[in-house]
PDB file of all heavy atoms in Angstrom:
ATOM      1  N   ALA B 143     -21.656   2.956  11.908  1.00 96.00           N
ATOM      2  CA  ALA B 143     -22.848   2.114  12.003  1.00 96.00           C
ATOM      3  C   ALA B 143     -23.158   1.796  13.465  1.00 96.00           C
ATOM      4  O   ALA B 143     -24.319   1.836  13.891  1.00 96.00           O
ATOM      5  CB  ALA B 143     -22.647   0.829  11.209  1.00 96.00           C
ATOM      6  N   LEU B 144     -22.136   1.490  14.226  1.00 96.00           N
ATOM      7  CA  LEU B 144     -22.333   1.216  15.648  1.00 96.00           C
ATOM      8  C   LEU B 144     -22.911   2.440  16.344  1.00 96.00           C
ATOM      9  O   LEU B 144     -23.826   2.325  17.181  1.00 96.00           O
ATOM     10  CB  LEU B 144     -21.001   0.829  16.306  1.00 96.00           C
ATOM     11  CG  LEU B 144     -20.450  -0.563  15.976  1.00 96.00           C
ATOM     12  CD1 LEU B 144     -19.070  -0.742  16.599  1.00 96.00           C
ATOM     13  CD2 LEU B 144     -21.399  -1.648  16.462  1.00 96.00           C
ATOM     14  N   ALA B 145     -22.375   3.588  16.016  1.00 96.00           N
ATOM     15  CA  ALA B 145     -22.842   4.825  16.643  1.00 96.00           C
ATOM     16  C   ALA B 145     -24.298   5.088  16.275  1.00 96.00           C
ATOM     17  O   ALA B 145     -25.113   5.421  17.137  1.00 96.00           O
ATOM     18  CB  ALA B 145     -21.962   5.999  16.203  1.00 96.00           C
ATOM     19  N   ASP B 146     -24.632   4.906  15.013  1.00 95.00           N
ATOM     20  CA  ASP B 146     -26.015   5.097  14.577  1.00 95.00           C
ATOM     21  C   ASP B 146     -26.958   4.199  15.365  1.00 95.00           C
ATOM     22  O   ASP B 146     -28.028   4.610  15.807  1.00 95.00           O
ATOM     23  CB  ASP B 146     -26.154   4.776  13.083  1.00 95.00           C
ATOM     24  CG  ASP B 146     -25.448   5.813  12.228  1.00 95.00           C
ATOM     25  OD1 ASP B 146     -25.061   6.875  12.778  1.00 95.00           O
ATOM     26  OD2 ASP B 146     -25.264   5.563  11.027  1.00 95.00           O
ATOM     27  N   ARG B 147     -26.512   2.959  15.517  1.00 94.00           N
ATOM     28  CA  ARG B 147     -27.350   1.979  16.181  1.00 94.00           C
ATOM     29  C   ARG B 147     -27.664   2.388  17.615  1.00 94.00           C
ATOM     30  O   ARG B 147     -28.767   2.179  18.112  1.00 94.00           O
ATOM     31  CB  ARG B 147     -26.621   0.630  16.196  1.00 94.00           C
ATOM     32  CG  ARG B 147     -27.482  -0.589  16.326  1.00 94.00           C
ATOM     33  CD  ARG B 147     -26.602  -1.806  16.327  1.00 94.00           C
ATOM     34  NE  ARG B 147     -25.676  -1.770  17.441  1.00 94.00           N
ATOM     35  CZ  ARG B 147     -25.772  -2.545  18.521  1.00 94.00           C
ATOM     36  NH1 ARG B 147     -26.730  -3.423  18.606  1.00 94.00           N
ATOM     37  NH2 ARG B 147     -24.899  -2.443  19.492  1.00 94.00           N
ATOM     38  N   GLU B 148     -26.682   2.983  18.259  1.00 92.00           N
ATOM     39  CA  GLU B 148     -26.886   3.401  19.646  1.00 92.00           C
ATOM     40  C   GLU B 148     -27.307   4.866  19.732  1.00 92.00           C
ATOM     41  O   GLU B 148     -27.448   5.401  20.836  1.00 92.00           O
ATOM     42  CB  GLU B 148     -25.601   3.182  20.450  1.00 92.00           C
ATOM     43  CG  GLU B 148     -25.124   1.737  20.456  1.00 92.00           C
ATOM     44  CD  GLU B 148     -23.927   1.561  21.388  1.00 92.00           C
ATOM     45  OE1 GLU B 148     -23.571   2.529  22.078  1.00 92.00           O
ATOM     46  OE2 GLU B 148     -23.355   0.462  21.410  1.00 92.00           O
ATOM     47  N   GLN B 149     -27.429   5.499  18.585  1.00 92.00           N
ATOM     48  CA  GLN B 149     -27.808   6.920  18.546  1.00 92.00           C
ATOM     49  C   GLN B 149     -26.927   7.766  19.453  1.00 92.00           C
ATOM     50  O   GLN B 149     -27.420   8.493  20.328  1.00 92.00           O
ATOM     51  CB  GLN B 149     -29.283   7.088  18.919  1.00 92.00           C
ATOM     52  CG  GLN B 149     -30.194   6.498  17.850  1.00 92.00           C
ATOM     53  CD  GLN B 149     -31.646   6.618  18.229  1.00 92.00           C
ATOM     54  OE1 GLN B 149     -31.991   6.504  19.399  1.00 92.00           O
ATOM     55  NE2 GLN B 149     -32.498   6.830  17.236  1.00 92.00           N
ATOM     56  N   ARG B 150     -25.696   7.646  19.224  1.00 94.00           N
ATOM     57  CA  ARG B 150     -24.727   8.479  19.939  1.00 94.00           C
ATOM     58  C   ARG B 150     -23.572   8.736  18.984  1.00 94.00           C
ATOM     59  O   ARG B 150     -23.460   8.061  17.963  1.00 94.00           O
ATOM     60  CB  ARG B 150     -24.231   7.761  21.182  1.00 94.00           C
ATOM     61  CG  ARG B 150     -23.592   6.419  20.847  1.00 94.00           C
ATOM     62  CD  ARG B 150     -22.620   5.995  21.892  1.00 94.00           C
ATOM     63  NE  ARG B 150     -23.200   5.241  22.968  1.00 94.00           N
ATOM     64  CZ  ARG B 150     -22.467   4.692  23.934  1.00 94.00           C
ATOM     65  NH1 ARG B 150     -21.165   4.845  23.935  1.00 94.00           N
ATOM     66  NH2 ARG B 150     -23.037   3.988  24.876  1.00 94.00           N
ATOM     67  N   PRO B 151     -22.728   9.735  19.287  1.00 97.00           N
ATOM     68  CA  PRO B 151     -21.623  10.030  18.352  1.00 97.00           C
ATOM     69  C   PRO B 151     -20.527   8.960  18.393  1.00 97.00           C
ATOM     70  O   PRO B 151     -20.417   8.209  19.369  1.00 97.00           O
ATOM     71  CB  PRO B 151     -21.092  11.379  18.861  1.00 97.00           C
ATOM     72  CG  PRO B 151     -21.508  11.429  20.298  1.00 97.00           C
ATOM     73  CD  PRO B 151     -22.800  10.697  20.385  1.00 97.00           C
ATOM     74  N   VAL B 152     -19.746   8.909  17.356  1.00 96.00           N
ATOM     75  CA  VAL B 152     -18.594   8.005  17.307  1.00 96.00           C
ATOM     76  C   VAL B 152     -17.564   8.469  18.323  1.00 96.00           C
ATOM     77  O   VAL B 152     -17.268   9.651  18.412  1.00 96.00           O
ATOM     78  CB  VAL B 152     -17.960   8.012  15.899  1.00 96.00           C
ATOM     79  CG1 VAL B 152     -16.681   7.205  15.901  1.00 96.00           C
ATOM     80  CG2 VAL B 152     -18.930   7.463  14.867  1.00 96.00           C
ATOM     81  N   ASP B 153     -17.058   7.542  19.107  1.00 96.00           N
ATOM     82  CA  ASP B 153     -15.989   7.909  20.039  1.00 96.00           C
ATOM     83  C   ASP B 153     -14.850   6.893  19.941  1.00 96.00           C
ATOM     84  O   ASP B 153     -14.922   5.939  19.155  1.00 96.00           O
ATOM     85  CB  ASP B 153     -16.531   7.994  21.467  1.00 96.00           C
ATOM     86  CG  ASP B 153     -17.092   6.652  21.923  1.00 96.00           C
ATOM     87  OD1 ASP B 153     -17.032   5.695  21.130  1.00 96.00           O
ATOM     88  OD2 ASP B 153     -17.589   6.561  23.058  1.00 96.00           O
ATOM     89  N   LEU B 154     -13.837   7.112  20.739  1.00 97.00           N
ATOM     90  CA  LEU B 154     -12.658   6.243  20.677  1.00 97.00           C
ATOM     91  C   LEU B 154     -13.031   4.785  20.912  1.00 97.00           C
ATOM     92  O   LEU B 154     -12.539   3.889  20.227  1.00 97.00           O
ATOM     93  CB  LEU B 154     -11.628   6.701  21.715  1.00 97.00           C
ATOM     94  CG  LEU B 154     -10.362   5.854  21.832  1.00 97.00           C
ATOM     95  CD1 LEU B 154      -9.610   5.837  20.503  1.00 97.00           C
ATOM     96  CD2 LEU B 154      -9.452   6.368  22.932  1.00 97.00           C
TER      97      LEU B 154
END
Side-chain angles (χ1 to χ4, degrees):
Chain B
L144 287 175
D146 291 348
R147 203 180 61 107
E148 301 186 6
Q149 292 178 324
R150 58 155 88 175
V152 173
D153 61 1
L154 177 60

